[in-house]
Amino acid sequence: MKCVLEGNGVKAFGKAIHALSRIGEDLWLDPMVKGLALRSVNVAHSAYSCFLFSPLFFQHYSLGSASEQGNETIKCKLVMKSVLPLFRCLTSIERSVERCQISLSASSDQVIIQFFCRHGITKTHNLRFQESEALQAVFASHLCPNVVKAPARLLGDMVMHFPASQEEITLSMTPLRVSLRNYYEGGNDHMRTMYTEMSLHPDEFDYFQVGMESDITFCLKELRGFLSFAESHCLPVSVHFGAAGKPVCFSMEDMVLEATVVLATLIDSENSGPSQPTGTPVSSPRCADAAALTVVSHGADSTKPQDTPAVTELIASSQGSPIIKPPALIQLLPQTDNPDGLGVPGEACAGATTTPASTTICSLLFRALSSEQDDDGCAARLPVLACYSDTEEDMEGDYTRSPSL
Amino acid sequence: MKFRGKIIDVACLNHFTRVITTISKLTKMCVLRLTPDNLFFVLSGKVANGGVSMWCELSQANFFDEYQMEGVSSEDNEICLEVTPENLSRALKTVQNAKAVKVKLTKKHCPCLTIAAELPTLSSASRVVTHDVPVDVIPRRLWHEFKEPNMPDFDVSIYLPPLKTMKNIVDRMKNLSNFLVIEANLNGEMNLKIETDLVSVTTHFKDLGNPPWGDDASQDGGASQSRDPEAMVEARVDIRRLQQFLMGQQVNPSKAMCNIVHQRVVHLILLHEDVSLQYFIPAVA
């Protein structure tokens, strides 16, 4: 894959990387026909973000020729710490970088990022990547009872009332009012912490649909980078969510890019503001708790109950993610034939988690990206990680677990 | 005990916020005393904070449009609260464009100062923001610790040079030494000195002017007149305390003065139109 960005595109790309860096420590580059996707997942698998830049975003965008790539997709995982510094200072990028070229090929293990700057200076960065299947959050946004669409600055204005260090936040929605308040899980500081609540009228949203009144608590820190991107591009943000425990999805799009953040929410739904949680207090921020996760690519966990959703529901909001043909994926998953099952990811999660119910974050349901479908529509062969086989793919989902998951 | 206040004017809100932000840079926790006419932010000099003490006085009428309070009792018509000024500052900063800001003493999960504001929006309905800042009520028996400090029997009183200039100098001196000597005389001259084994640096200020306190300011009536105007009076202080004071200043005061009691204490006074701030830094050996 080779792509060229120019001027403002470099800045936007850098800003996307900033937003993704708030989520996880690794960055997946996923070049596809429909564009270049950047993805990140946090360690606890409770936050996922994807920025998909369509080919129109780039001055030049080409995937390798079919022969070069063969049937393999490039599965490129970079360490965020090595990518972020390249794009850290956006103002200086704006000033001095004229063009940026990113090249990636399956044959080498390096991503080459070149900045062509003013005064004829070229900076070339070679970054080693790891072959690793990217994860993608499974989220059926069209099943969400609650949908709001906020104009660009609104969410940013809402969260600015909370300090930068605020970990978690509770969003409440009723037909009359939307409110945000900070969430503290108790402990010594309970009496000393400052509580903030802000509420606004549904009229302030571009679109407001309340299927059910709900309070969801999620990690604000992971969202801030995304909101800052939305504000800087003046893009409205759509929020899809349901009851507490089910994930919440923030998304934005314009002509050339789509971006999503999916965050897990706390299951404990009777918490409201500063009440004490009933479960064991945890010292680390809740969002970082590694609740047991249904990562569907783990073929090894086939003993799990049938709790994965029917494939047809996968990523319906389709933030640029490829939809897998049903038979292939069902083959892989522990659940084999439930084509009609409209399993909602949240419920599935609740069953799968092993931590104490009252303190668990319902984690996100993930599945591995698979390669693009064969044209003849036959059962897709899900690729095996390169370290296990160079050229041949195994059928039937002899799917090896990615070491990083 | 009851307290309700309302600020409507944007400039007053802004000024109030800046005062509280300045206080928050000086100390993590302080005492807020509410009386019918004034608000005081008090820090009493304790070993824990290096012996520095602070007294900040605001006239409530200059800030609040509405102000009602009922103290602990009719004889002690005052409320004393321990508060973290940074929380207040943070809360106020988010509501700068509000139509009105209400400050109330409430009891939520604990006693709180609740800051509630309505923010204007494009649509007809408004946004409501509430911040509950937890406070501790100080019992009456401890009130004596938070009284207005007496003006010290100073030896020299002098106007300070521009605070920004002082701050720049003190910032750089801090790299060289932990202690700084402030000396001044009645001739409008002030020096900031540091001295280490390797190096000594002095910055001289001239023509600063001396405040005309007059005879009543110094209890020791005769001494100030007979003092030689050229004679320097000095105090050696922890440089970080001075730096902290200078760092926090957000507004240029109308008057900035320094009183020095020789080798005892440095007393800094900043006067704005409606706020006065006093800061005491004890001298170290």
Side-chain angles (χ1 to χ4, degrees):
Chain A
M1 185 266 322
K2 182 172 129 168
C3 67
V4 177
L5 299 151
E6 60 140 7
N8 287 331
V10 186
K11 192 174 175 201
F13 196 81
K15 225 169 158 77
I17 291 184
H18 280 230
L20 289 161
S21 70
R22 305 283 193 109
I23 304 270
E25 294 168 3
D26 295 311
L27 178 68
W28 275 268
L29 284 188
D30 188 18
M32 303 181 289
V33 169
K34 52 174 86 180
L36 176 65
L38 305 177
R39 301 178 211 271
S40 186
V41 177
N42 74 349
V43 168
H45 286 196
S46 59
Y48 161 85
S49 178
C50 173
F51 278 74
L52 174 71
F53 294 94
S54 90
L56 295 172
F57 177 78
F58 302 94
Q59 223 182 3
H60 169 86
Y61 180 79
S62 63
L63 301 174
S65 61
S67 57
E68 221 176 70
Q69 258 188 244
N71 277 329
E72 299 172 24
T73 45
I74 299 171
K75 300 170 284 270
C76 165
K77 179 175 91 159
L78 294 164
V79 175
M80 191 64 78
K81 275 205 281 228
S82 57
V83 184
L84 185 60
L86 305 185
F87 294 92
R88 183 173 315 271
C89 187
L90 295 173
T91 42
S92 79
I93 284 185
E94 194 177 13
R95 269 200 320 258
S96 58
V97 174
E98 288 165 1
R99 230 167 65 245
C100 168
Q101 178 174 301
I102 303 177
S103 359
L104 169 58
S105 85
S107 48
S108 88
D109 63 348
Q110 283 188 345
V111 175
I112 302 173
I113 302 183
Q114 277 184 306
F115 292 100
F116 297 91
C117 310
R118 285 192 333 188
H119 312 302
I121 298 174
T122 305
K123 299 190 217 180
T124 307
H125 303 269
N126 300 332
L127 302 168
R128 282 262 159 69
F129 66 84
Q130 247 186 304
E131 292 251 9
S132 167
E133 191 73 24
L135 289 186
Q136 196 174 348
V138 170
F139 185 78
S141 60
H142 71 289
L143 291 183
C144 286
N146 296 342
V147 182
V148 297
K149 190 164 179 188
R153 303 211 45 193
L154 183 65
L155 287 180
D157 284 350
M158 283 169 75
V159 304
M160 71 93 142
H161 294 283
F162 300 87
S165 58
Q166 179 66 44
E167 295 274 352
E168 283 147 348
I169 210 165
T170 302
L171 172 68
S172 298
M173 187 124 122
T174 72
L176 299 176
R177 210 81 189 141
V178 176
S179 76
L180 261 187
R181 52 182 187 273
N182 60 344
Y183 173 83
Y184 280 92
E185 35 181 15
N188 300 339
D189 285 343
H190 180 55
M191 290 312 213
R192 287 252 136 242
T193 48
M194 188 166 122
Y195 285 97
T196 301
E197 175 161 355
M198 72 95 49
S199 69
L200 35 79
H201 194 271
D203 279 352
E204 294 211 56
F205 292 90
D206 290 343
Y207 177 81
F208 186 82
Q209 169 193 310
V210 174
M212 59 182 287
E213 296 191 4
S214 77
D215 292 357
I216 51 167
T217 301
F218 54 88
C219 191
L220 178 60
K221 266 189 165 169
E222 288 160 345
L223 186 58
R224 283 197 193 256
F226 180 87
L227 292 181
S228 145
F229 188 99
E231 244 181 284
S232 63
H233 285 92
C234 299
L235 292 174
V237 176
S238 300
V239 189
H240 291 78
F241 62 104
K246 310 219 166 115
V248 54
C249 175
F250 296 84
S251 55
M252 61 180 159
E253 61 183 9
D254 74 3
M255 300 288 293
V256 294
L257 72 90
E258 296 168 21
T260 345
V261 170
V262 184
L263 299 172
T265 65
L266 279 180
I267 281 183
D268 183 14
S269 56
E270 70 226 354
N271 101 78
S272 51
S275 56
Q276 293 277 3
T278 49
T280 38
V282 182
S283 56
S284 58
R286 193 62 63 77
C287 289
D289 263 345
L293 170 70
T294 313
V295 177
V296 273
S297 63
H298 290 198
D301 292 338
S302 51
T303 49
K304 279 215 169 70
Q306 297 189 356
D307 53 7
T308 49
V311 179
T312 45
E313 312 311 324
L314 293 178
I315 318 285
S317 65
S318 125
Q319 297 298 328
S321 44
I323 302 289
I324 308 303
K325 286 222 171 77
L329 194 58
I330 285 180
Q331 228 171 350
L332 267 201
L333 305 181
Q335 167 189 357
T336 48
D337 30 68
N338 189 4
D340 302 321
L342 291 179
V344 180
E347 282 161 12
C349 288
T353 52
T354 55
T355 49
S358 60
T359 60
T360 313
I361 288 181
C362 173
S363 18
L364 308 174
L365 202 57
F366 281 97
R367 67 175 176 82
L369 287 176
S370 83
S371 53
E372 297 288 284
Q373 300 308 299
D374 292 337
D375 286 336
D376 61 3
C378 70
R381 300 119 175 237
L382 284 140
V384 174
L385 297 181
C387 58
Y388 282 79
S389 99
D390 281 342
T391 49
E392 301 302 319
E393 294 94 28
D394 292 332
M395 302 287 286
E396 309 303 292
D398 178 14
Y399 207 78
T400 335
R401 180 197 304 240
S402 157
S404 61
L405 298 173
Chain B
M1 272 195 309
K2 275 206 285 207
F3 169 64
R4 300 174 67 90
K6 190 162 161 187
I7 303 180
I8 292 184
D9 183 69
V10 129
C12 292
L13 177 59
N14 196 271
H15 195 17
F16 190 64
T17 308
R18 275 189 277 124
V19 172
I20 295 190
T21 305
T22 303
I23 308 266
S24 72
K25 302 228 158 86
L26 290 175
T27 173
K28 276 192 103 166
M29 303 206 67
C30 70
V31 167
L32 170 61
R33 275 180 60 183
L34 298 164
T35 68
D37 296 319
N38 292 307
L39 294 94
F40 303 98
F41 289 93
V42 188
L43 178 68
S44 68
K46 297 211 170 82
V47 178
N49 43 350
V52 299
S53 54
M54 171 195 71
W55 176 266
C56 179
E57 185 172 322
L58 290 84
S59 158
Q60 62 87 349
N62 284 328
F63 296 93
F64 290 87
D65 227 66
E66 285 169 27
Y67 186 95
Q68 301 149 12
M69 67 150 284
E70 256 175 49
V72 171
S73 68
S74 39
E75 308 94 51
D76 299 309
N77 194 17
E78 228 184 82
I79 300 175
C80 243
L81 306 166
E82 192 183 30
V83 72
T84 304
E86 202 211 325
N87 285 341
L88 283 177
S89 160
R90 236 188 317 117
L92 288 168
K93 277 197 227 180
T94 69
V95 297
Q96 286 298 294
N97 58 338
K99 299 185 227 174
V101 175
K102 294 191 203 145
V103 186
K104 298 182 281 203
L105 186 61
T106 58
K107 186 155 174 69
K108 306 260 167 110
H109 53 288
C110 66
C112 284
L113 269 182
T114 296
I115 297 182
E118 256 185 56
L119 300 175
T121 64
L122 296 171
S123 70
S124 51
S126 52
R127 288 180 209 169
V128 175
V129 181
T130 326
H131 296 278
D132 292 319
V133 178
V135 296
D136 255 335
V137 178
I138 307 254
R140 214 176 326 178
R141 59 190 158 81
L142 295 176
W143 285 12
H144 61 276
E145 290 182 24
F146 308 107
K147 284 189 329 213
E148 177 160 11
N150 293 323
M151 179 70 78
D153 189 8
F154 55 83
D155 299 307
V156 164
S157 177
I158 190 167
Y159 287 116
L160 288 169
L163 294 181
K164 249 209 157 112
T165 313
M166 264 188 92
K167 174 178 164 335
N168 285 337
I169 291 167
V170 171
D171 280 347
R172 276 148 190 73
M173 286 183 164
K174 178 164 170 294
N175 294 331
L176 298 169
S177 166
N178 286 332
F179 297 102
L180 173 142
V181 171
I182 303 179
E183 60 175 25
N185 65 17
L186 288 168
N187 212 12
E189 290 170 346
M190 173 193 257
N191 299 331
L192 299 175
K193 303 197 299 200
I194 51 158
E195 197 170 307
T196 67
D197 292 337
L198 291 176
V199 65
S200 61
V201 182
T202 310
T203 305
H204 305 267
F205 295 94
K206 289 198 304 213
D207 298 328
L208 291 173
N210 301 84
W213 289 107
D215 297 322
D216 39 316
S218 168
Q219 276 87 0
D220 186 1
S224 55
Q225 282 128 344
S226 57
R227 175 174 295 286
D228 171 15
E230 301 283 338
M232 285 285 183
V233 147
E234 66 169 39
R236 188 163 178 264
V237 298
D238 183 335
I239 203 172
R240 287 166 301 178
R241 305 288 169 202
L242 183 59
Q243 189 194 34
Q244 203 173 12
F245 174 78
L246 293 168
M247 241 175 19
Q249 297 316 309
Q250 308 217 299
V251 199
N252 279 326
S254 8
K255 284 208 167 86
M257 294 170 283
C258 170
N259 299 339
I260 306 180
V261 179
H262 188 62
Q263 285 171 352
R264 299 294 295 280
V265 70
V266 173
H267 176 208
L268 298 154
I269 309 176
L270 300 183
L271 295 176
H272 300 85
E273 283 167 7
D274 33 26
V275 180
S276 73
L277 174 65
Q278 299 179 48
Y279 198 67
F280 297 81
I281 310 180
V284 296

